Amino acid sequence: MMKKITYIFLISCFCTTLFAQKKGSVKEGDKLFARKSYVKAAEQYEQVPQSQKVLQNLGDCYYYNFQMNNAVRAYGQLFFTYKDSVKPEVYFRYANALKGTKDFNKGDEIMSAYIGYTQNTPKFIKNINRNTPKSFKLEIMTKNKTNGDFGISFYGDKVVFASTRNFESPVYKWNDKPYLDLYTATVSAKGQLAKVEPFSSVINTKNHESSATFSSDGKIMYFNRTGDKQIKVGLEKVATVKIYRAEFIDGKWANVTMTPFSSDQYSVEHPSLSKDGKKLFFASDMLGTIGSMDIFVVDVNEDGTYSKPMNLGETINTVHREQFPFISGENTLYFASDGLQGNGNLDIFMSYMLGNGQFDKPINLGSSINSEMDDFNFIIKDKDSIGYFASNRTGDDNLYSFIQEDNKLQYLVEGEVRDKNSLELLPGSVVKLFDKDGNLLEEVVVGKSGDFEFNTEPNKKYKIIAFKDFYIPYEAEFDTSKKGKVYLDLQMKVESYYDAEDIINKKEDGTVLIELENIYFDLDKWAIKPQAAGVLDILVGILKKYPYMEIELVAHTDSQASAVYNLRLSNRRAASALEYLVKNGIDRKRLRSKGYGESRPLIICPKNDCTPQEHATNRRCNFIILK
């Protein structure tokens, strides 16, 4: 019996120990999070009560390791429970996590709340795909999609890239993967990595090495290496990233030295050397950045010294991340940003270098290369239109080869139709596009959102007109060119006829009338009298002022003859007024006429016993605007 009790006691102790091992700790999770051991920190946070701090840290752990579904789960609970006290920067991360799962509607809602204006990612993607000057055919460069490959660069007829594929390397606590090393490889005709070999052991160390760039003759290289230990910067301990320079001497890499603009207090990353070797671009969070990471440039002097780092300014840099610059042989800057409008997370952009050393407004390269996840590290051989980039769209960093092709230039014209006075959107409006000769090219009916769009062609002149029933059409003319804006945003503000003219009024039943002095006809006659001609001349002036207006002329009679006779007489009177307008230059297509006989009197007389004046009042003509 005693043995049995002892056995049960031991089993109980074992189970208690087992469950104690499984139970998480907020304190332990916080320690791991502070050390950026995000994988292990998430394991702790998943097993503890979900406080606001725990949910935010848990979401961050997943977000920083590109596990967007899990990040959305944690951030979603955070916003559901603590939305009123969530920090602004968490809005940004949550929005990008949502976009990373292709939930653009919710992602745009959160991002719009963060930036203070409406963002519409599906519309942006649709527009940029129509207008980006190039499109790309992609091929993943390795069958193993978990190697963690990125940071690719040209190296003669080879490439050099960074990878976590060295499983003999220590494990990096951030993502529980090996430290980064540099590798060389050739690229097959099908865009696949081949003959992959570790780079020089002089360059690869126990720390991270990545993002190499080489001079045109292959004798100078710059690359990234992390510091040997974490340094306290502000409230955090970080191992900053530095740029090193090395020389190729007698077949070996030597003279590895840290660049003077590197520091323990900030990171300098992703070096990219210009083709002539005179400028070195890189990303950094050094003093003077606009956002978390900005793109800088230094001049590389002939004596081996460097100029002071210069920030590329607000045309390129935003309050968020700009990274992985690459300057092509055609002086085009390519870089990644999550601060500029894109598909979500990091997108690749291009910017032309202007003559004064400044850069033009960046252009998103479109969704033939950008995804909802991080896309970055774009490099290209301009003459061959081939190149490479990195993306974590499959969950891990992978390299892709591409062939760049001309995208047929399509110039998007988009806009909204609004009431000129109330500024309300006007769904149901018709917008027409004409060429320079007035030929109708296309027309669209504006939907519930009140907006419209057309594709046009370069180097042409166009006219666009917005129509809405009972509104004065709005016209705009524009030219397209080879360069400059790839789209036009037109605010078509139309004014109603009844707002523009005192003699035009809208009745409660929606009928819009041109209210002129009544036209009187002699008894049993339909000829236009001089007084009637004066009134109709005013109508001619209105119709000439508004050449798209269409009207109906409606005639009525008194009740002094039979109903059939009066109906025929009213039709003749309406037709007579119409012919007067046509005779005075109004296109017949804009006019309708109709007679109602005695069926709609203004004055209803008891027992049909009207006075001569009452009969005359009932003999009238109304002018109704149709459109």
Side-chain angles (χ1 to χ4, degrees), residues 228-376:
D228 291 325
K229 59 181 179 178
Q230 290 188 333
I231 305 295
K232 190 169 185 179
V233 178
L235 299 176
E236 292 186 314
K237 283 189 174 182
V238 295
T240 60
V241 183
K242 302 174 175 65
I243 294 177
Y244 286 78
R245 179 183 185 274
E247 297 176 349
F248 195 68
I249 302 173
D250 297 331
K252 295 181 180 179
W253 288 103
N255 299 334
V256 180
T257 56
M258 186 177 72
T259 56
F261 47 87
S262 297
S263 171
D264 287 334
Q265 302 303 308
Y266 55 80
S267 289
V268 286
E269 307 175 343
H270 318 142
S272 177
L273 198 60
S274 63
K275 189 174 182 180
D276 61 9
K278 294 182 178 180
K279 291 185 180 294
L280 183 68
F281 294 83
F282 59 90
S284 178
D285 58 354
M286 66 173 60
L287 186 66
T289 56
I290 297 168
S292 59
M293 294 294 291
D294 281 5
I295 296 176
F296 290 77
V297 64
V298 294
D299 293 326
V300 181
N301 301 318
E302 291 186 5
D303 61 0
T305 60
Y306 306 90
S307 68
K308 182 180 178 180
M310 183 183 73
N311 190 300
L312 293 195
E314 293 183 358
T315 300
I316 300 298
N317 294 313
T318 71
V319 296
H320 295 291
R321 288 186 297 163
E322 278 69 46
Q323 297 175 292
F324 295 93
F326 172 78
I327 192 78
S328 77
E330 295 183 352
N331 283 332
T332 301
L333 175 68
Y334 297 89
F335 65 99
S337 172
D338 64 3
L340 296 168
Q341 171 81 63
N343 293 30
N345 298 288
L346 288 173
D347 267 18
I348 301 169
F349 293 80
M350 63 180 288
S351 175
Y352 299 111
M353 182 183 287
L354 304 176
N356 56 4
Q358 300 298 308
F359 287 90
D360 203 356
K361 182 180 179 180
I363 300 171
N364 188 294
L365 294 192
S367 61
S368 65
I369 193 166
N370 287 319
S371 70
E372 70 279 359
M373 292 289 282
D374 285 337
D375 305 286
F376 54 99

Side-chain angles (χ1 to χ4, degrees), residues 381-409:
K381 290 182 177 179
D382 293 307
K383 291 182 179 180
D384 299 329
S385 293
I386 62 170
Y388 315 102
F389 75 103
S391 176
N392 61 19
R393 64 189 64 187
T394 62
D396 291 283
D397 290 332
N398 284 286
L399 292 171
Y400 294 78
S401 60
F402 65 78
I403 299 174
Q404 179 181 256
E405 300 175 331
D406 286 334
N407 193 23
K408 183 179 179 182
L409 287 175

Side-chain angles (χ1 to χ4, degrees), residues 22 58 106 137 409 475 493 502-503 516 531 583:
K22 286 187 175 181
L58 181 60
K106 183 66 174 178
K137 288 186 176 181
L409 287 175
E475 297 186 16
K493 295 178 181 177
D502 291 336
I503 62 173
L516 299 173
Q531 176 271 345
K583 186 177 180 180

Side-chain angles (χ1 to χ4, degrees), residues 603-623:
I603 299 175
I604 301 175
C605 304
K607 298 181 181 180
N608 203 26
D609 188 16
C610 293
T611 66
Q613 181 59 41
E614 289 171 335
H615 280 307
T617 300
N618 285 334
R619 297 193 299 269
R620 69 198 188 277
C621 198
N622 299 133
F623 313 109

